[in-house]
Amino acid sequence: MHRRFLAPSLFLLLGLGLTWVAYSPGLHGGFLFDDFANLPALGVTGPTDDWLAFLRYITSGTADPTGRPLTLLTFLLDAQNWPASPFPFKRTNLIFHLLNGILLYALLAQLGRLLGYDERQSRTAALLGTALWLLHPLLVSTTLYIVQREAMLPATCTLVGLLLWLHGRQLLTQGKTATGMAWSVLGLGGFTLLGMLAKANGVLLPIFALLIEAVALAPRHPVQHGRARQTHRLALLACGTAPSLIILGYLSWTGLHSVLAGGPVGFRPWSIGQRLLTEPRVLLDYLQLLWLPRPFSSGLFNDQYVASTSWLQPITTLPAILAVFVLIGLAWRQRRRYPALALAILFYFAGQLLESTSIPLELYFEHRNYLPALLMFWPLGLWLADIRSLRLLKVALMLVLPLGLAWMTHARAELWGNVHSQALLWAKINPDSARAQTNAAQIEMQAGRPQAAIRRLEKLLVDQPSQVQLAFNLIGARCMVGGITATDLAAAKLAMQGTPNTGTLFTHWFERTLPVTISGECPGLTLQGLLELIDTGLENPKLSAAGARQDLTYLRGKIALAQGRPDAALADFTRALDLQVRPGIALEAAATLGAAGYPSHGLHLLDHYEAVSGNVMKPGFGMPWLHAWVLEHQHYWPHELDHLRRQLALDARAGSMNTSRHTSPAGTLD
């Protein structure tokens, strides 16, 4: 028994070591894209160094109704404050990737035995399937993209949940009803909930279990004992069938409702109907990357992906739809004859249900393949492990395929470890992506090559005039080479007129640009010019949402402060607060007034907040509500506001005394 497990264990360790070596160059890369939108939560209310701060942080997530607290919890392994170093985050991601490889090997070996393969073939196939998944270069854009730990943890929970459920099911086949039921419910119920706390696609675990049951288990290993059979059916109904029907029903209702409503969704340039037409093309692109791997692909920036507007526009739309349905149909029809292949195909498409159907997410992201591709290479491993025919060829492939993938992954990881080369290559691969070109331009500016950034941004801005990220960064590059022109400002205004969403981009750019404007370091860029940009945005009907208008109105107040007009600044800050009454913006605005030397105005703003605090925005469903409850229970906002009020009052009193001294008659002061 010991010798039988020794060789597979050694080969598994070898595969894990090879994976670490392949990924190691990428561990020294930087933060990217959505990292900056999520990781700063580590320090929003100060360092996470006590239980009060921990509760504020762990409930601060806004993605999904759950807020993904399990993912947030694991980030504390790497840092407890912000800013932080990216290396610990990337290292932990890689450790989770290796852990998932170990769990995947255990699952594939178990499935191989359940399908009737002998021990040697089951373990060899599991090793190969795991190695090809671990070393696949496409998964670099999940493993080395720090924030996508939220895509990795649902895979961890899915693997553990399936293993526990299979253990419980085996106990039920032996007639051990109570313990079998407990393990089954823990696996399917408990780890579905845990997976959802990492990311919403953790909810797909019940569907995966039903597929394994239908394809692999029910035809070969039925639960036959009367009471155990009833228990198994009950567990599968409660923790498998019912959640699966809820998921499918929700996706169907969302899709139907959105298609009937028509028109674009929010700030997306496409409708749900167009998204549903597009996603089959996306899925086939994913499958091509999985089965025809290459070292480099489009990476994180896929905003240039063209949505399908009809069945034949573009022409690949209908063939892609048919291909997806044919693959699913053939897999289901051939599940008895080719169960492993059928299960891999059905598992993959089931894994794409949430992110590639009717929920209005962005069209394309490579990290969406991490969980769905878990079983993808297992059928190939089973074929290679059967060395009764083509022995030399199969043995050669067992060596060449993992090593070839390791080489590609290493090359890709080297790119992820070099922010400059990464940005330039992604810009070359994605010439029409505003995000890719902006990212490359920012890297060029940091490297002291603003002229290259200007050429890059000007070229794409001609075709995409409403892309504010291009127009704003062009101003930044122009400032580095001597100043902006009226043409540059006009391009920025045009972008603000047509953009459907500025997100946090304009705010971050403004915070960097305002000091440069005040100091006069950028000829041609004035406070009045910045104000015109903001006012243009306020006139844009696509930016009519209260949140967008609040951000822009608040920035008007900052310009008024820079112009030495505190009364106007107070008026703008007050209008911004009234658009969405939140204690956070009241605190920030009052502190900004105080820091600028106008503590009395800050006190007036706090007085106004107290008057309108009854209209404070109600938190959304799920984690936002819990976060608001935590803050209320800790008296966080009253404490922060009272502290600021006391400081502003002291500053106002000190300012008044200084003024009194300067205006007193000569000789009256000792």
Side-chain angles (χ1 to χ4, degrees):
M1 177 71 84
H2 176 72
R3 293 178 60 186
R4 187 174 65 179
F5 287 102
L6 180 61
S9 299
L10 289 176
F11 279 113
L12 180 60
L13 287 174
L14 181 63
L16 296 174
L18 183 61
T19 303
W20 184 276
V21 172
Y23 269 94
S24 58
L27 296 178
H28 302 282
F31 295 109
L32 292 165
F33 199 33
D34 280 347
D35 289 341
F36 296 104
N38 293 273
L39 297 177
L42 285 161
V44 165
T45 63
T48 309
D49 54 5
D50 58 37
W51 280 107
L52 296 179
F54 171 78
L55 290 173
R56 292 196 298 270
Y57 167 70
I58 206 69
T59 61
S60 65
T62 57
D64 303 338
T66 68
R68 304 176 182 176
L70 181 60
T71 303
L72 296 181
L73 178 64
T74 66
F75 288 147
L76 290 175
L77 297 171
D78 311 309
Q80 294 78 48
N81 204 352
W82 187 262
S85 167
F87 178 79
F89 292 91
K90 291 180 182 287
R91 180 184 57 199
T92 302
N93 272 24
L94 182 52
I95 291 171
F96 273 114
H97 186 51
L98 299 180
L99 171 63
N100 286 338
I102 296 171
L103 295 170
L104 178 59
Y105 168 75
L107 177 64
L108 296 182
Q110 177 80 337
L111 290 176
R113 288 191 294 268
L114 290 169
L115 287 179
Y117 294 99
D118 61 51
E119 190 72 19
R120 185 202 60 80
Q121 189 173 357
S122 296
R123 291 189 175 278
T124 303
L127 282 170
L128 289 168
T130 299
L132 297 180
W133 180 83
L134 273 174
L135 292 164
H136 201 287
L138 185 64
L139 303 188
V140 171
S141 58
T142 306
T143 307
L144 293 181
Y145 187 12
I146 294 169
V147 75
Q148 287 313 319
R149 190 177 302 175
E150 61 192 16
M152 303 174 72
L153 290 173
T156 309
C157 294
T158 295
L159 290 165
V160 174
L162 289 175
L163 285 168
L164 294 179
W165 168 67
L166 288 173
H167 177 64
R169 193 187 186 283
Q170 183 179 12
L171 293 174
L172 287 172
T173 61
Q174 298 169 0
K176 299 176 181 178
T177 305
T179 53
M181 179 70 165
W183 284 108
S184 296
V185 171
L186 175 62
L188 290 190
F191 277 84
T192 295
L193 293 175
L194 199 60
M196 290 171 59
L197 295 179
K199 192 178 182 181
N201 56 359
V203 78
L204 297 173
L205 171 55
I207 296 180
F208 296 143
L210 289 180
L211 288 174
I212 293 173
E213 176 73 22
V215 174
L217 301 181
R220 296 169 180 81
H221 305 279
V223 181
Q224 295 178 336
H225 298 279
R227 186 179 175 188
R229 182 170 65 247
Q230 292 177 354
T231 302
H232 171 62
R233 288 177 177 175
L234 178 62
L236 210 57
L237 175 64
C239 300
T241 306
S244 299
L245 290 175
I246 292 172
I247 297 164
L248 295 174
Y250 171 76
L251 293 173
S252 299
W253 179 86
T254 301
L256 180 61
H257 176 77
S258 300
V259 168
L260 291 177
V265 182
F267 58 85
R268 306 293 189 196
W270 35 258
S271 66
I272 289 296
Q274 291 171 339
R275 189 179 198 277
L276 290 171
L277 290 173
T278 305
E279 285 306 311
R281 292 171 41 224
V282 173
L283 292 175
L284 291 186
D285 284 349
Y286 292 160
L287 288 172
Q288 183 185 48
L289 288 171
L290 285 166
W291 284 105
L292 298 174
R294 53 182 183 265
F296 309 117
S297 61
S298 56
L300 303 188
F301 303 117
N302 297 281
D303 49 305
Q304 80 285 2
Y305 202 93
V306 178
S308 296
T309 55
S310 71
W311 295 94
L312 296 174
Q313 186 60 41
I315 193 65
T316 53
T317 302
L318 182 57
I321 294 171
L322 293 175
V324 168
F325 278 105
V326 166
L327 281 172
I328 295 172
L330 283 176
W332 182 254
R333 185 168 183 176
Q334 297 296 319
R335 68 189 186 279
R336 298 285 188 264
R337 187 175 182 184
Y338 304 107
L341 181 60
L343 190 55
I345 294 172
L346 295 172
F347 192 101
Y348 177 78
F349 286 111
Q352 297 285 359
L353 275 172
L354 281 190
E355 296 180 303
S356 299
T357 55
S358 58
I359 298 176
L361 305 171
E362 293 201 34
L363 296 176
Y364 190 114
F365 273 126
E366 292 177 357
H367 62 253
R368 292 174 183 168
N369 290 279
Y370 189 86
L371 171 59
L374 284 172
L375 272 59
M376 181 63 65
F377 309 108
W378 176 49
L380 175 60
L382 286 168
W383 179 76
L384 291 173
D386 181 8
I387 55 175
R388 292 172 296 181
S389 62
L390 304 175
R391 182 186 181 95
L392 291 178
L393 173 63
K394 290 181 178 180
V395 171
L397 288 174
M398 287 182 195
L399 295 173
V400 170
L401 290 177
L403 291 176
L405 292 179
W407 171 78
M408 286 188 274
T409 293
H410 188 270
R412 190 165 186 166
E414 283 187 323
L415 184 71
W416 277 72
N418 187 321
V419 174
H420 186 272
S421 299
Q422 184 184 56
L424 296 183
L425 181 61
W426 280 348
K428 183 177 180 180
I429 294 174
N430 306 298
D432 298 322
S433 166
R435 289 176 183 168
Q437 301 307 320
T438 299
N439 183 54
Q442 290 172 344
I443 293 297
E444 287 169 330
M445 284 187 275
Q446 292 171 14
R449 300 177 58 220
Q451 289 289 3
I454 290 171
R455 291 191 296 270
R456 180 183 301 280
L457 295 168
E458 283 183 331
K459 181 179 179 181
L460 193 56
L461 192 59
V462 173
D463 298 322
Q464 301 185 30
S466 64
Q467 285 287 351
V468 288
Q469 55 192 320
L470 299 174
F472 295 156
N473 279 281
L474 178 59
I475 288 177
R478 290 283 194 196
C479 287
M480 292 180 68
V481 296
I484 70 167
T485 66
T487 302
D488 299 321
L489 194 59
K493 287 183 182 178
L494 181 62
M496 284 294 279
Q497 287 174 358
T499 183
N501 177 44
T502 61
T504 59
L505 170 70
F506 184 72
T507 302
H508 291 161
W509 175 83
F510 180 90
E511 297 291 350
R512 295 194 306 268
T513 304
L514 183 59
V516 175
T517 307
I518 294 173
S519 66
E521 295 176 29
C522 182
L525 185 59
T526 63
L527 291 173
Q528 184 59 34
L530 290 180
L531 185 61
E532 290 174 6
L533 282 177
I534 293 172
D535 289 340
T536 301
L538 288 169
E539 294 169 1
N540 181 353
K542 297 178 182 178
L543 299 177
S544 60
R549 296 186 65 80
Q550 183 178 64
D551 291 342
L552 293 171
T553 305
Y554 182 83
L555 295 181
R556 285 187 100 260
K558 297 201 75 167
I559 290 179
L561 268 184
Q563 293 174 329
R565 298 186 297 123
D567 293 340
L570 176 60
D572 282 326
F573 287 154
T574 301
R575 280 192 290 271
L577 176 61
D578 289 341
L579 284 166
Q580 285 186 335
V581 180
R582 294 182 288 120
I585 191 171
L587 189 76
E588 182 180 355
T592 299
L593 287 164
Y598 305 105
S600 297
H601 289 73
L603 289 169
H604 283 305
L605 186 68
L606 292 182
D607 290 338
H608 179 75
Y609 170 73
E610 292 296 333
V612 300
S613 59
N615 299 325
V616 168
M617 283 184 63
K618 297 295 186 290
F621 171 75
M623 191 58 75
W625 177 88
L626 182 58
H627 183 62
W629 182 87
V630 167
L631 294 178
E632 182 180 0
H633 186 71
Q634 294 182 4
H635 306 289
Y636 178 78
W637 289 120
H639 176 270
E640 294 295 313
L641 291 166
D642 287 346
H643 176 74
L644 178 61
R645 182 181 287 277
R646 288 194 299 270
Q647 186 60 52
L648 290 174
L650 288 173
D651 292 345
R653 196 175 305 121
S656 175
M657 292 176 62
N658 288 334
T659 301
S660 172
R661 292 182 181 185
H662 285 302
T663 58
S664 297
T668 61
L669 294 178
D670 271 321

